[in-house]
Amino acid sequence: MRATTHRRTAAGLLMTLLTATGAAAQQPSPQPIATAAAATPVAPATSSDTARLVDELAARIEDLDQQLRVLQRKLEIEKEQAVEKAKVTPTVVAGREGYAVRSADGDFQLKFRGYVQADARFVGDGDGTSGPTNFVLRRVRPVLEATAFKLFDFKLMPDFGGGVTVLQDAYADLKFVPWLKVRAGKFKGPFGLERLESATELTFVERGAPTNIAPNRDLGVMAFGDLASGRFAYQLGVFNGVVDGGSADTDDHSGKDVAGRVFFLPFKTSKRETFTQLGVGLAATDGSQRGTLTQPNLPAYKTAAQQTSFRYRSDGTADGTSIADGRHWRVGPQAYYYVGSVGFLTEYYVSSQHVRRGTTATDVQASAWQVSGQWALTGEKESYRGIVSPRRNFDRSNGGWGGVELTARFSQLVVDDSAFPFYANPAAAARTSNDSVVGVNWFLNRFVKLTGQYENITFDGGAPNGGDRPAERGVFTRVQFAF
């Protein structure tokens, strides 16, 4: 198109020049001026001179046109090369969501995240049951996540907290469609509402009593997905099976646990935000546990200071050791509600395990429930993930103080009377624990959070004299850095 335009321009110039030449030839010659210069003869222009001039101009225009077309092609090639390079050049990102390297088309991604939680527990050790006042690295977890072809996700998360190396997560996801995904490996079982929260998003230093019952991490395969624009979510999987509150990397029996959970957000797509974060759900597991004298496969329930408040009898002998010996099931409802700067979470679970000691066996049940609340004093919106980011980061030079959140919780754990005194010793295992917590969270920015709380746990039973175990009271603090 541009070449045609240039040729038309050249033709126009030639026509103009020829027309001007012809007109000049038809006009009469002006009378010479009587000067000395007029004596010098001037050769008149001939038609051959005009033709030669026209040819030179045409050649020059054609040469310029050729150069322009070459330049245009070079620019086109450079643009094409830039586009192709952009398709294969990876993007390096360092920001609020961590550090990542991703392909230009987004099909491949490698993300590195991590977090550290440094705790201080001021509980005293006067009664010998609350544990010592100490400082501890509660969690030290680097997190590696990868995506391939947009359909496959992978996560690897070890933990070095407490001076012990544990593989927490190692799984792969296959994303067929939003309503059907498959996860295989080691990961959190689909049960506890607070258990399923990331440790970086916890409202309190330690999770409540129901988490003593909810399974932690297990090996298995699970189908999950969202339906109805995210208003309904489901999880259904088969796992090796773990004790209440437990995790495992191996399995010593062929029986497997089936675990499932459904969760509804009925008003998630509503235009009014009043009930968009109202969620209710139900979770259940069913399977079996078989124990031995060396590995009874029965749970031990712990307090906030990570001290054991309940355990079954175990002295290494057949007559003095309680072991798991059959069906183990759990069930319970769960719910949360967040609106504006206020949020609430509640859950209630029952766990039943067939237990044997010697030749005697029975079903022992444990139940736990909690109600917790949180209020963002600085006006941030609350959610299941907590305050994601404060309105104003902590920065004294700009007058920013971050976000502040007040928290409170009551939870209770009860072990059925059928456990006492035959399967569990009432002088060492408490029947009931009641946990009250008030605290404050200070979000300096998206990465740094400080937590302080006062916790009071009272017990029924569990004392050597047959009375009640002394209350566990203390102040718990945490410094968290997560990226």
Side-chain angles (χ1 to χ4, degrees):
M1 179 65 72
R2 292 181 180 178
T4 302
T5 301
H6 294 318
R7 292 190 184 95
R8 288 177 179 175
T9 302
L13 289 173
L14 289 174
M15 290 298 296
T16 301
L17 184 60
L18 290 173
T19 301
T21 304
Q26 293 177 2
Q27 290 181 357
S29 301
Q31 293 298 323
I33 300 174
T35 60
T40 304
V42 178
T46 64
S47 59
S48 61
D49 293 334
T50 302
R52 179 175 54 79
L53 179 60
V54 170
D55 291 341
E56 290 177 356
L57 288 174
R60 182 60 177 165
I61 291 173
E62 183 66 25
D63 183 57
L64 290 174
D65 179 65
Q66 183 66 26
Q67 292 180 23
L68 182 60
R69 280 183 288 173
V70 171
L71 181 60
Q72 280 183 316
R73 183 52 186 159
K74 287 183 178 180
L75 292 174
E76 290 174 357
I77 293 174
E78 291 178 358
K79 186 176 179 180
E80 292 171 358
Q81 290 175 343
V83 171
E84 292 300 321
K85 185 177 180 180
K87 290 180 180 180
V88 298
T89 301
T91 302
V92 179
V93 179
R96 293 185 174 187
E97 301 300 327
Y99 303 89
V101 179
R102 63 174 61 97
S103 62
D105 57 8
D107 286 356
F108 299 86
Q109 178 173 277
L110 182 64
K111 182 183 292 185
F112 178 72
R113 301 187 296 108
Y115 56 95
V116 176
Q117 294 176 337
D119 292 4
R121 302 168 181 163
F122 303 95
V123 293
D125 196 24
D127 53 35
T129 60
S130 298
T133 291
N134 60 7
F135 299 96
V136 59
L137 284 173
R138 184 68 173 88
R139 297 177 179 91
V140 181
R141 296 179 177 178
V143 182
L144 184 66
E145 297 173 327
T147 298
F149 299 101
K150 288 187 178 180
L151 297 177
F152 305 92
D153 290 341
F154 173 78
K155 182 178 180 179
L156 180 66
M157 184 176 73
D159 185 8
F160 305 104
V164 178
T165 301
V166 178
L167 181 61
Q168 295 288 354
D169 288 324
Y171 63 81
D173 287 347
L174 174 57
K175 300 177 290 186
F176 292 101
V177 287
W179 55 268
L180 178 58
K181 307 171 188 175
V182 177
R183 176 171 296 175
K186 183 182 180 182
F187 51 93
K188 289 183 180 180
F191 193 83
L193 184 60
E194 190 181 31
R195 170 68 78 187
L196 290 172
E197 280 186 303
S198 169
T200 62
E201 299 165 353
L202 293 178
T203 304
F204 305 91
V205 171
E206 298 295 342
R207 294 178 171 93
T211 304
N212 272 301
I213 288 179
N216 192 358
R217 288 169 167 86
D218 200 358
L219 282 163
V221 59
M222 177 180 73
F224 64 104
D226 299 324
L227 297 168
S229 300
R231 294 192 297 272
F232 171 74
Y234 76 93
Q235 299 160 297
L236 180 64
V238 179
F239 301 87
N240 282 337
V242 294
V243 301
D244 291 350
S247 297
D249 293 304
T250 58
D251 188 22
D252 59 0
H253 63 286
S254 297
K256 295 292 174 277
D257 282 10
V258 176
R261 175 177 177 262
V262 291
F263 201 79
F264 299 88
L265 290 162
F267 306 105
K268 182 176 181 179
T269 58
S270 174
K271 294 182 179 179
R272 298 183 61 183
E273 296 185 2
T274 306
F275 296 103
T276 55
Q277 292 195 77
L278 170 64
V280 295
L282 180 69
T285 71
D286 192 17
S288 65
Q289 286 290 324
R290 302 284 179 178
T292 64
L293 293 181
T294 56
Q295 291 184 324
N297 279 347
L298 290 173
Y301 302 135
K302 295 182 179 295
T303 67
Q306 301 303 294
Q307 303 300 305
T308 300
S309 63
F310 172 87
R311 62 177 181 270
Y312 286 90
R313 290 183 181 272
S314 179
D315 64 2
T317 66
D319 292 334
T321 301
S322 300
I323 63 173
D325 190 44
R327 188 183 181 191
H328 179 210
W329 58 264
R330 310 178 188 91
V331 67
Q334 52 192 234
Y336 62 62
Y337 177 54
Y338 300 93
V339 57
S341 300
V342 179
F344 302 93
L345 181 148
T346 184
E347 50 189 339
Y348 170 77
Y349 304 129
V350 176
S351 173
S352 177
Q353 172 67 64
H354 193 70
V355 180
R356 177 172 59 85
R357 177 184 167 193
T359 58
T360 305
T362 191
D363 291 326
V364 176
Q365 289 189 359
S367 61
W369 63 275
Q370 73 166 327
V371 176
S372 67
Q374 56 210 74
W375 175 30
L377 288 177
T378 44
E380 289 83 2
K381 286 188 176 182
E382 291 284 4
S383 69
Y384 179 58
R385 296 184 58 193
I387 296 177
V388 177
S389 183
R391 285 182 171 182
R392 300 184 65 185
N393 291 338
F394 179 79
D395 187 350
R396 291 298 309 279
S397 63
N398 295 324
W401 286 93
V404 179
E405 176 186 66
L406 297 182
T407 62
R409 178 182 70 198
F410 181 81
S411 63
Q412 184 182 67
L413 173 67
V414 179
V415 181
D416 191 59
D417 288 341
S418 61
F420 303 97
F422 188 72
Y423 300 99
N425 182 4
R431 289 182 171 84
T432 304
S433 61
N434 304 287
D435 186 3
S436 303
V437 186
V438 291
V440 60
N441 291 320
W442 183 14
F443 299 82
L444 279 71
N445 50 53
R446 189 181 182 90
F447 299 128
V448 182
K449 180 175 75 172
L450 307 181
T451 298
Q453 67 183 43
Y454 174 77
E455 191 152 4
N456 179 44
I457 308 177
T458 60
F459 306 94
D460 295 335
N465 59 6
D468 296 334
R469 175 178 173 150
E472 181 181 290
R473 299 184 178 93
V475 174
F476 299 80
T477 66
R478 169 171 293 166
V479 178
Q480 172 180 292
F481 178 79
F483 64 91

